[in-house]
Amino acid sequence: LYIHGLWKDPLQWATNPGTAYIETALAEGANVVALHLAGHGNDWLNAKDVTTATWIEQARSALREISRVSERVIVIGQSTGGA
């Protein structure tokens, strides 16, 4: 489960030069969920309507989702996504 940093989006994990984390995990046979936090990425104009409780519930929901298909789950977060 990848959780991006403040104002970023899931592409943070896929497009940074030399850090194609999502593609690497998929190539190794992992199930991957890359969460897009509300109010981030191209959705930043709606940030005023989002609370930290929204992000927490999104993370919990994504964790439940990946747990249904994976016996072992690794959570990787960056910046706000890792706090």
Side-chain angles (χ1 to χ4, degrees), residues 1 3 35 37-38 50-65:
L1 170 59
I3 306 174
L35 183 58
L37 294 171
V50 178
T51 66
T52 54
T54 304
W55 298 335
I56 291 167
E57 182 49 39
Q58 284 185 283
R60 286 180 177 158
S61 178
L63 184 57
R64 286 190 298 271
E65 176 186 337

Side-chain angles (χ1 to χ4, degrees), residues 2 11 14 18-20 24 27 32 37 44-45 48 51 54 61 73 79 81:
Y2 290 95
L11 290 177
T19 59
T24 301
V32 174
L37 294 171
W44 64 271
L45 291 174
K48 65 181 175 48
T51 66
T54 304
S61 178
V73 176
S79 184

